[in-house]
Amino acid sequence: MAVADKELTDQIQTSAEAMEATVLPCARVVHTSKDAPRTAEMEPLPECVAAQPIAAKSPAQWAYERLILYIKNFEGQLDNEHEVAMGFTAGGAGVLKIEGIGYFDPDIVTFYGQDDGGARTQLIQHVSQLSVMLRAMPKAPEEEEPRRIGFRLAADLEKK
C-alpha cells in the first residue's frame, strides 16, 4: 500500500466511529507534579452532560456545561475559608466573586456576582472570547459556610 493510500485509510471512519466522535468529547491534561490534584479533564462527564450529543448543543450551552465542571472541580479543592471567584484575564477590571452563570444561545455566556469591593458585577461574554481564570478568595466573614456555586450549578444540570 502506498503512503498516500495509508494516510487516506487512516482518515476514513466507519459510521459508528463518526457518530461516536460527535458524542464523546476529547479532553486531556498533563501536569508537572505527580501530586497535582484531579482536574475536570480527568473526570468522566456526568450523565446529564453526556446524554445530549455535542453536535446538538450550541457553543454557549457546551461552554456553560464545561465551565460548571471546571468550577465544581476547583471548589472541591478549596477549604472552608475560601470561595471561587473569577479573575478577568484582560484589562484591569479585577475579580468577580461568582454567584451565578448563565448562557444565551447560541453564543453568549454570562457571569453574575460581586467585585472585590462588593459591587454587583455582571460579565457578558461571547464564547469565542471566553477566557476564565478561577481564583480562591476568602469567604465573607459574616458567612458561616462558603458558597459553592459549582455544586449548585452541577445539581441544576442534573435536574434538566
Side-chain angles (χ1 to χ4, degrees):
M1 178 181 299
V3 173
D5 292 339
K6 172 134 180 50
E7 288 174 5
L8 184 58
T9 9
D10 288 344
Q11 294 175 12
I12 298 173
Q13 294 180 326
T14 66
S15 55
E17 289 170 331
M19 197 169 196
E20 185 179 72
T22 65
V23 175
L24 299 176
C26 180
R28 185 173 182 170
V29 65
V30 176
H31 286 281
T32 58
S33 170
K34 293 177 186 174
D35 300 330
R38 288 192 62 81
T39 64
E41 298 92 351
M42 296 173 173
E43 301 296 332
L45 279 181
E47 177 59 35
C48 59
V49 174
Q52 185 180 17
I54 295 168
K57 298 177 185 191
S58 70
Q61 179 185 354
W62 187 221
Y64 170 82
E65 290 174 352
R66 287 175 292 156
L67 279 166
I68 290 170
L69 300 177
Y70 279 110
I71 292 168
K72 182 179 177 218
N73 180 272
F74 186 85
E75 282 182 333
Q77 298 168 38
L78 297 179
D79 60 25
N80 275 344
E81 300 305 312
H82 290 86
E83 297 176 334
V84 68
M86 182 177 82
F88 295 105
T89 57
V95 176
L96 179 146
K97 194 173 269 191
I98 303 169
E99 296 175 349
I101 299 177
Y103 71 92
F104 202 123
D105 279 344
D107 55 5
I108 298 293
V109 178
T110 307
F111 299 88
Y112 302 91
Q114 295 180 34
D115 68 11
D116 49 0
R120 271 274 157 242
T121 307
Q122 180 178 359
L123 171 67
I124 303 163
Q125 196 155 30
H126 190 273
V127 294
S128 67
Q129 299 297 313
L130 192 59
S131 183
V132 176
M133 176 176 47
L134 300 178
R135 295 183 56 183
M137 298 291 290
K139 71 173 182 60
E142 66 275 6
E143 297 290 329
E144 193 171 311
E145 295 291 322
R147 293 176 291 171
R148 296 291 187 233
I149 187 71
F151 290 89
R152 292 181 77 187
L153 290 164
D156 184 65
L157 273 182
E158 291 172 9
K159 281 194 269 184
K160 66 175 187 166

